[in-house]
Amino acid sequence: MTTLAMSKALNEGLRRALERDQKVLLMGEDVGKLGGVFRVTDGLQKDFGESRVIDTPLGESGIIGTAIGLALRGYRPVCEIQFDGFVFPAFNQIASQLAQMQLRSLGHVSLPIVIRIPFGGGIGAVEHHSESPEAYFAHRAGLRVVACSNPADAFTMIQQAVARTDPVIFFEPKRRYWDRGEVDLALDPGDAYPLDRAKIIVAGTDVTVLAYGPMVKTSLEAAAAAQEDGRSIEVIDLRSLSPFDAETVCAAVERTGRCVVVHEAPVFAGLGAEIAARVTEQCFYHLEAPVMRVGGFSTPYPPSRLEDHYLPDLDRILDAVDRTFGY
Amino acid sequence: MTELKQFKLPDVGEGLTEADIVKWHVRPGDKVVVNQIIVEIETAKAMVELPSPFEGVVAGLLVGEGETADVGTPIISVDVSGGSGEMTGAPADTERLPRAVSPAERAGGSGSAGADIEDLVPSTPAQAAAKPGVQAGPTPKQQRQPVLVGYGVKLGRTTRRSRKPGAAGSGSIQVPPPPGARPPATAADAPAAAADARVTVLAKPPVRKLARELGVDLAPIEGTGPSGSITRADVRAAAARRAAPGLVAAAPRLAAAIAGAAAGPREERVGVRGVRKHTARAVAASAFTAPHVTEFLQLDMTATMEASQRVRDLPEFKGVRVSPLLFVAKALLLAVARNPMINSSWDDAADEIVVKRYVNLGIAAATGRGLIVPNIKDAHALSLPALARALSGLAETARAGKTTLTDLQGGTITISNVGVFGVDSGTPILTPGEAAILAFGQVREMPWVHEAELAVRKVCTLALSFDHRIVDGDLGSAVLRDVGAMLEDPVRMLAWA
Amino acid sequence: MTVDMDGAAAAAPDLPSVDGLAGAAQELVQLLTPEGERAEHPRYSLELSADEIRALYRDLVLVRRIDSEAGALQRQGELGIWASLLGQEAAQVGSGRALGPRDMAFPTYREHGVAWCRGLDPMKLLELFRGVSHGGWDPAAHNFHLYSIVIGSQALHATGYAMGIQRDGETGEDGAAAIVYFGDGATSQGDVNESFIWASVFNAPVVFFCQNNQWAISEPLEKQSRIPLYQRARGFGFPGIRVDGNDVLACLAVTRAALQAAREGQGPTLIEAYTYRMGAHTTSDDPTRYRLAADLEAWKLKDPIERVKAYLIRGAMTSASFFEGIEKEAAELGTQIRRACLSMPDPRPAQIFEHVYAEPHPLMAAEREQFTAYLSSFANEEGAR
């Protein structure tokens, strides 16, 4: 086992992917010489060459569109969108082309493309650098959407995503890039926890908290704090947002009878809404209280001096937990 | 013989539901070939020429020039019987291609429209039907509203498609079907933090609210709703029942079902959930794993019955329920002390028999939700009054549905009182994890040989089932004999205590 | 055949004034006049046998027939919509026949002529416009990508594909190239401009073939550019060339040269095929609302097929029976297409859930199961239409 920061764990995972399959390419702005603005691709162009680790011109639509062309030619591009807020120019290529080529071709064409997107806030940044756009992509059939929350998962999930035949939008919680954790660098991704399953991180009896990406750590902190109050909080890392692991989640909620979903994205029409509806429908008779959602307000992401008020924290999560006990 | 085909006004994609017939290029009797331009129509101030889909002879023009037709209405009928086939089309000449006609052209148009009118079939389908050789088309059930791109918007309808019986509500999208109630005992795979697990209660929010308002505890209620959930009626019935508790609650739903069976359908399906489900699993597991042998002993209980009466009056037993069960329990505990091997379990994995040095005495209890076997911990160490209190406390708790998981776990030997059901004996099935179970039946007066003479005595039958992997006939019989001896002469308990 | 990419740029006329956009007075590569006479061009030559010319004529006629039959079928309610290529046959057949077997073509949604040249069954196109599938053919089977309806998005795909060719090392005289088709309107789209950037910066072997048919639905060329489209390439750093889009010989010659240049590592070329959309944008459009019949009449005199016919007759390269034979073949093709269209089966309802993902997906499986059960819960088992 090695202790690694999440960004380094991703770097190691990408390295393995490049070594494993000659058709894997990395492409994006500043990913080559600079090694990425978060250093996630550090050192890879030096070792694998400019042909495989490509510094692209500045255009998100161009990055994804040419990646599609490369995939049509048999390559497996891993694209980087530098920040969440900059994915929107590429939205047409992702939504109209990447997501639909499988159906358009009746299965003749698959596009095994991974789009890595650092997402979420809490880094004191200016506009467009703290977004959580995962719901737009989860809503688009034809795409798979995942979010890692810790270094060990980051290492295996990125490799698993690259190995997939379907396109994968891979969200990386940027404020957790520097969090360190134990990573088994010898673990084969084929033996690792499956990409599309949720994981119970901490078992509990009183309420099931569902989180992904940056909110997993916050939820664990909330669970620890709740123990002092004598509350036993279960924390599940969803990991896969689309498809959603209803089996694991519903089994858990049926045991505890209470559920709280946490994400940074605004609550209104966020992923929590889909999860809440689905859990309510499938676990109805087991529910002691409605499924609660904790997330951002229905506003654009605020200036960084206000972001601590905007982002869900330990207290907001526990407040939601308390409210589930008010029924 | 004629074979008539009709060309229905198509969706030409102009965003209207109808079009005007401006000018027919053919008349009845004319020969037409596929793709030959036969009519100009006007939609939203644009003119479109329509090519014929058929080859043959024009039989009738069904909509007149200047008339408006809905999309989907037949506008021309063509007799295709004579042709070489409808497929050979017009030559690919740009002049013949369907094209939009400019307003300027239209304004200076040919003006031959008027001459054709008297040859036209009347415009309404009904009138057309009156003419021989012309069929009026059926009004299309589903029309489309043409839009700029594609076939156009389907117009709505106001009637439902009819469903097959029993099919209602099957259209909801959900991933796994909702599982039934989880019984408390199988929470073994639940997180270990469960110190005392709740019995999972299934009730939707309004029902929970009602229960709270009426002060009714949902846990012991057997739900009659979907998936075994508790309904409002169940809650109200429980509230009413609170006024009249019974010794053993019969299964009300089953009784009602049987009562209703005469009047209603010939079968009733009773869901297997909760405690009943768990019991079913447990007895099946037990019965098919441990080789069961049952031995019987019929004995004269008269002395015990008298002793029971005298003990009841003792001050130590004031307020405590004393019944023959107390004596059977005590006898069994003493028999276990004399024959420890009967109080053990079979460890398959280790190929070992685990002999317990304590007795957690299980008492099979029939509750409204089914059979459960709570046990009295360390019963061997209890005084008789304490044992009596434990027994009645156990029964009360079971009736109230408040038996905890801990109560249900860890038993080492069981007693099953089948006498309350009015039978003499039975072949009890071992509680999983135990080596023996003692059933005793009803005490009733029977002819007996007492002191070498026929007498009427209080007689009951004991049945001891044991796990033949652990207990051989020798041991089983010894235990049974011991218990029987103590019940025939309770003073013997003093000797063996 | 000579190629001179630098020459093309150098010979480009000075930037015209704003008024100087219309008409064919601009520099334009032409090898066959509208009257059917052979012309010479200093940089492009073409040596074709009589057989080859006749083959091109046949292509043009059959392509037009497919197009007109499909248009008629739409007017008869058999297709939801059809985008006609009337008038653009030469641009498509000329460029289509320039493609080598390893080259990959990326069309828009109007390149039925290129599809024909690549050997794709025309019924696959009708399937799309009838609403049976969104295309559904295997791009690798004919090296012809699926139709792209989002304007210009395919330009990036072609460029990426060309970057893949580079990585595969399939460059050189026997190498491969990509060609992407788009219209004048598409040159305003961001994706097309981004593809120019990528192609030039990476020197990708891709040919940008723009059919400037003068109209983007109702928007005339002036709404898309102040300068002739072929001159746009210069701003991105690669050659642009304008060709008479109604001249099949010129289109063939210029496209061949551009493809060869791409294969040999000289990077991209922008070809502007100057032509006219004789029909409507699609069957839902009414061009009489925004253009004059007089313009149409002027372009009829430049018909791409007529000039080849005139050339064949003038050059005594055919007999009357040849033309009759072609007409007959066209009529039969029309009949075949009609028959196939009328008998095309509708997709099964459960097909909604097929080919959404390459790998198994729990929600797809669950939804398909639910939907199938739902459908069979109705008393009569007709489909939901």
Side-chain angles (χ1 to χ4, degrees), chain A:
Chain A
M1 289 292 231
T2 323
T3 306
L4 286 180
M6 189 195 291
S7 53
K8 197 72 176 90
L10 288 163
N11 184 276
E12 289 293 333
L14 288 169
R15 179 176 289 277
R16 297 278 190 287
L18 286 160
E19 282 164 358
R20 194 176 285 126
D21 184 349
Q22 293 302 305
K23 294 294 196 185
V24 172
L25 310 172
L26 304 187
M27 50 198 291
E29 295 153 20
D30 309 296
V31 299
K33 206 177 224 98
L34 183 63
V37 292
F38 291 104
R39 305 294 181 268
V40 173
T41 53
D42 194 29
L44 297 175
Q45 187 181 67
K46 185 170 61 65
D47 293 339
F48 293 94
E50 286 180 21
S51 194
R52 291 189 69 196
V53 180
I54 308 167
D55 277 318
T56 64
L58 208 167
E60 284 71 22
S61 191
I63 293 169
I64 307 303
T66 52
I68 290 173
L70 282 158
L72 287 165
R73 185 73 190 179
Y75 286 87
R76 302 182 79 100
V78 180
C79 304
E80 178 179 299
I81 299 292
Q82 200 161 81
F83 284 91
D84 38 70
F86 302 136
V87 73
F88 300 107
F91 200 78
N92 169 54
Q93 286 290 342
I94 296 172
S96 305
Q97 309 302 326
L98 188 62
Q100 305 196 163
M101 200 67 76
Q102 183 81 22
L103 181 64
R104 190 176 303 153
S105 67
L106 289 180
H108 289 297
V109 173
S110 295
L111 297 176
I113 295 174
V114 175
I115 302 178
R116 295 180 38 244
I117 307 181
F119 84 129
I123 61 169
V126 293
E127 259 190 303
H128 315 301
H129 290 68
S130 309
E131 307 283 315
S132 292
E134 64 274 11
Y136 304 122
F137 300 104
H139 190 56
R140 197 68 180 167
L143 299 173
R144 292 187 187 251
V145 182
V146 302
C148 59
S149 70
N150 61 82
D153 271 354
F155 174 69
T156 57
M157 285 172 74
I158 188 64
Q159 296 177 70
Q160 290 167 329
V162 173
R164 283 245 109 121
T165 310
D166 286 317
V168 180
I169 314 292
F170 193 94
F171 283 102
E172 301 166 0
K174 68 174 85 73
R175 69 157 133 163
R176 305 293 181 214
Y177 270 149
W178 319 118
D179 285 0
R180 304 173 85 76
E182 294 300 299
V183 180
D184 180 0
L185 291 173
L187 180 58
D188 188 285
D191 299 327
Y193 201 81
L195 185 64
D196 46 14
R197 298 305 299 262
K199 198 192 279 186
I200 301 178
I201 309 286
V202 155
T205 55
D206 293 340
V207 58
T208 302
V209 170
L210 307 176
Y212 54 88
M215 286 289 106
V216 173
K217 185 173 177 199
T218 313
S219 301
L220 290 171
E221 288 162 357
Q227 264 180 357
E228 289 159 26
D229 298 333
R231 278 251 170 84
S232 164
I233 293 184
E234 180 164 77
V235 177
I236 295 184
D237 181 355
L238 290 177
R239 301 165 88 254
S240 178
L241 309 182
S242 174
F244 162 68
D245 184 358
E247 206 184 308
T248 301
V249 168
C250 291
V253 176
E254 281 169 16
R255 264 187 286 105
T256 61
R258 289 180 163 79
C259 182
V260 173
V261 189
V262 187
H263 52 56
E264 285 189 13
V267 169
F268 189 88
L271 217 46
E274 169 66 31
I275 295 169
R278 216 163 264 275
V279 167
T280 300
E281 190 179 332
Q282 290 177 214
C283 307
F284 192 59
Y285 294 124
H286 298 259
L287 288 173
E288 303 280 347
V291 178
M292 299 297 195
R293 295 167 295 156
V294 183
F297 307 120
S298 302
T299 67
Y301 199 88
S304 60
R305 292 279 167 156
L306 287 169
E307 73 180 341
D308 286 341
H309 292 291
Y310 178 89
L311 291 169
D313 60 8
L314 179 156
D315 290 308
R316 287 247 290 275
I317 295 175
L318 292 179
D319 173 66
V321 167
D322 288 342
R323 279 185 283 123
T324 69
F325 279 95
Y327 286 82

Side-chain angles (χ1 to χ4, degrees), chain C residues 34-74:
Chain C
E35 294 71 33
E37 282 171 347
R38 229 13 202 95
E40 294 297 314
H41 190 279
R43 288 188 306 280
Y44 298 96
S45 60
L46 196 61
E47 300 297 325
L48 291 180
S49 67
D51 272 342
E52 286 169 316
I53 309 272
R54 284 195 289 270
L56 287 173
Y57 178 78
R58 174 179 171 273
D59 281 339
L60 293 167
V61 172
L62 294 184
V63 160
R64 179 167 288 181
R65 183 52 197 251
I66 293 167
D67 186 69
S68 67
E69 194 68 40
L73 284 163
Q74 195 282 337

Side-chain angles (χ1 to χ4, degrees), chain C residues 15-28 212 214 220-232 242 272 274 299:
Chain C
L15 285 180
S17 65
V18 175
D19 289 334
L21 276 170
Q26 295 287 312
E27 136 113 10
L28 184 91
N212 175 5
Q214 314 304 321
L221 180 65
E222 297 79 63
K223 277 278 196 275
Q224 314 300 347
S225 181
R226 285 171 67 160
I227 60 167
L229 292 178
Y230 76 98
Q231 289 176 11
R232 296 271 300 280
R242 173 188 272 172
E272 179 194 351
Y274 199 86
W299 275 90

Side-chain angles (χ1 to χ4, degrees), chain B residues 7 10-14 34-35 44-53 86-92 94-95 97-98 100-103 105 142 144 147-151 154 161-164 167 170-175, chain C residues 64-65 68-69 71-72 74-81 86 129-131 282-289 293 300 303 327 331 335 338-339 342 362-363 366-367 370 373-385:
Chain B
F7 180 28
D11 318 306
V12 294
E14 288 293 313
V34 170
N35 291 346
K45 299 188 200 130
M47 299 268 288
V48 181
E49 293 177 336
L50 299 184
S52 171
E86 67 186 51
M87 295 303 180
T88 36
T94 49
E95 293 300 318
L97 292 173
V101 178
S102 74
E105 284 181 56
Q142 275 232 312
R144 285 178 177 277
V147 293
L148 184 58
V149 183
Y151 289 110
K154 254 188 182 163
R161 288 177 62 193
S162 59
R163 308 292 289 270
K164 290 180 188 157
S170 65
S172 69
I173 306 289
Q174 41 188 358
V175 181
Chain C
R64 179 167 288 181
R65 183 52 197 251
S68 67
E69 194 68 40
Q74 195 282 337
R75 289 293 184 232
Q76 291 151 0
E78 299 298 334
L79 300 179
I81 193 172
L86 185 64
F129 291 102
R130 189 170 163 86
T282 64
T283 45
S284 302
D285 181 35
D286 174 20
T288 65
R289 303 176 71 153
K300 275 187 191 163
D303 185 74
E327 290 306 314
T335 302
R338 168 168 297 272
R339 189 178 290 135
L342 265 50
L363 198 55
E367 287 192 4
Q370 297 285 336
Y374 172 75
L375 282 186
S376 61
S377 77
F378 287 99
N380 50 347
E381 301 248 355
E382 8 160 310
R385 274 183 71 173

